[in-house]
Amino acid sequence: MTTLLSAQNVSKELMARFPDMVVESSGSAVLVKSQALLEVAAFLKATPGLDLDYLTLMTVVDYLDYFEVVYLLTSLQHNHSLTLKTRLFDRDNPSLASVVGLWKGADYQEREVYDMFGIKFVGHPNLKRLFLWEGFQGYPMRKDYL
Amino acid sequence: MGSEKPAVPYSSVDLDWAEGHTIESLKAESTQPIPDPVAWIDEEIKRNVLVSSVDYVIDWARRSSMFPAGFGLACCAMEMVATGTARFDLSRFGMEVFRASPRQADLMIVSGTVTWKMAPSVKLIYEQMAEPKWVLAMGSCAISGGTFREYYSVVPGVNRIIPVDIYVPGCPPRPDALLDGIIKLHHKVSKISIAKRH
């Protein structure tokens, strides 16, 4: 069975590499600042011992004050997993670096998030609507929709 | 095909704009009343053409081999499939042949939730079916949108986009209920006259 990595141990490695970028760590979830997301993600994927080479899922939670982007990462080699989180406080024009370059599986999931929450992913190769049609107004999965 | 740029452009592809335009115009049309397709038959013809046994034979033929279009939208489709199996045995009514092409089908069973994105396809399949054709709205979602009637993405009743002959309520309706609806549709068909269609 897939074991959960201890977020404390991983965040120690991250803090040594990226000072001031880790906000908190609890359980198996590490929360990092949004500007360091891509570097942290690349580090988690490439570091021997971690090797988080598979993106199980990627989603967003709307807490009204901020959007929390959640990445569930798994290592196929070591059979362990880690949750990576980041927060976006800009509600009018939220944007984040795309991780499609690291995990191909993020392609459609980022498009879904873009469609439903209006978060722009910088560096995405084909960022356009996935479910809704052209001309649809608003972002239906936001808490303040309707 | 109109493909003017929408107010909030997401895609630079013309095909996407055209799709959005189709859906938006279908949404705008759906509030209009449905026109009567046989309104052009005037009273003169209706009163001066006599048919009796011909009607009986034609209606018997129509209702005895009514082929449904193989067209499942949501969970109601599972019940529709179950209706076709040996336990419920749709072939008792000569209807076991779910046609893969709408051009060979007489009955469209709208089995499930119709979303606005799917609506142009549903309308297209209906338009591709040859006359005479009938539509059966299966389940709460197809009838009125059901649980999702106020959602941003769901058509509040398939009768907004195509005319419906029979409504089968349920969530989802059991195969027995679907069979009951189909039998009621057969009764309806047996009353149709080629001189005057209702």
Side-chain angles (χ1 to χ4, degrees):
Chain A
M1 209 188 107
T2 309
T3 50
L4 300 176
L5 277 177
S6 163
Q8 265 82 21
N9 296 343
V10 177
S11 67
K12 268 176 209 154
E13 284 187 54
L14 286 175
M15 274 189 281
R17 182 78 191 271
F18 309 99
D20 300 329
M21 285 301 163
V22 179
V23 181
E24 66 176 43
S25 60
S26 62
S28 70
V30 182
L31 178 67
V32 297
K33 287 184 178 169
S34 62
Q35 63 264 34
L37 179 90
L38 194 60
E39 288 83 6
V40 171
F43 176 78
L44 291 176
K45 189 191 173 188
T47 307
L50 290 173
D51 292 312
L52 295 158
D53 49 4
Y54 179 73
L55 180 71
T56 308
L57 67 89
M58 177 244 162
T59 189
V60 172
V61 190
D62 184 3
Y63 287 106
L64 285 171
D65 293 332
Y66 52 87
F67 294 111
E68 194 163 85
V69 189
V70 182
Y71 300 85
L72 181 55
L73 308 171
T74 307
S75 169
L76 297 177
Q77 192 183 329
H78 306 295
N79 202 10
H80 58 211
S81 70
L82 181 79
T83 309
L84 179 65
K85 294 180 181 178
T86 188
R87 285 174 184 171
L88 301 173
F89 293 89
D90 185 0
R91 205 169 175 79
D92 299 320
N93 195 19
S95 74
L96 188 66
S98 170
V99 295
V100 177
L102 296 170
W103 299 287
K104 274 276 182 198
D107 189 334
Y108 272 33
Q109 302 196 31
E110 285 185 352
R111 279 177 65 187
E112 182 186 355
V113 167
Y114 171 66
D115 203 358
M116 296 295 177
F117 291 89
I119 296 172
K120 289 191 175 58
F121 288 93
V122 181
H124 192 286
N126 182 29
L127 192 64
K128 59 175 197 172
R129 284 186 182 278
L130 183 61
F131 291 121
L132 298 168
W133 54 94
E134 284 296 314
F136 187 89
Q137 301 289 322
Y139 307 106
M141 285 297 168
R142 286 193 183 185
K143 289 282 182 209
D144 55 3
Y145 183 82
L146 290 186
Chain B
M1 188 72 86
S3 62
E4 61 263 36
K5 213 172 169 180
V8 190
Y10 279 80
S11 166
S12 58
V13 184
D14 282 352
L15 200 65
D16 291 334
W17 298 348
E19 186 203 40
H21 182 79
T22 312
I23 292 171
E24 287 294 333
S25 57
L26 195 62
K27 226 175 152 176
E29 273 172 36
S30 68
T31 51
Q32 305 296 318
I34 298 155
D36 185 359
V38 289
W40 57 273
I41 302 177
D42 59 12
E43 207 49 39
E44 196 73 4
I45 296 175
K46 285 177 188 168
R47 277 193 276 115
N48 287 303
V49 177
L50 273 176
V51 279
S52 53
S53 308
V54 181
D55 271 346
Y56 180 79
V57 174
I58 287 179
D59 289 342
W60 167 80
R62 281 177 176 174
R63 71 169 187 267
S64 304
S65 62
M66 195 184 269
F67 292 172
F71 178 59
L73 283 175
C75 34
C76 281
M78 295 301 124
E79 301 295 313
M80 183 177 73
V81 170
T83 314
T85 57
R87 187 183 176 107
F88 299 98
D89 205 7
L90 198 58
S91 52
R92 284 179 290 168
F93 310 102
M95 292 178 67
E96 77 279 17
V97 199
F98 279 87
R99 300 313 304 183
S101 164
R103 292 172 211 283
Q104 300 166 349
D106 308 296
L107 171 66
M108 182 175 174
I109 300 176
V110 184
S111 52
T113 322
V114 186
T115 57
W116 281 115
K117 187 125 180 186
M118 191 65 187
S121 308
V122 173
K123 199 174 157 84
L124 184 69
I125 289 173
Y126 176 74
E127 283 164 355
Q128 282 175 338
M129 284 164 67
E131 288 276 1
K133 54 189 171 185
W134 293 275
V135 176
L136 188 148
M138 181 182 180
S140 307
C141 297
I143 292 170
S144 66
T147 312
F148 314 108
R149 66 188 170 280
E150 284 166 357
Y151 275 29
Y152 57 91
S153 58
V154 172
V155 181
V158 74
N159 59 358
R160 300 277 179 142
I161 50 170
I162 53 174
V164 177
D165 294 280
I166 289 280
Y167 297 88
V168 178
C171 187
R174 279 184 55 84
D176 327 27
L178 182 60
L179 285 175
D180 184 55
I182 284 168
I183 291 165
K184 285 201 166 68
L185 181 64
H186 286 176
H187 287 313
K188 198 175 171 178
V189 171
S190 63
K191 288 177 195 143
I192 290 174
S193 168
I194 56 166
K196 198 166 85 177
R197 282 190 58 201
H198 287 289

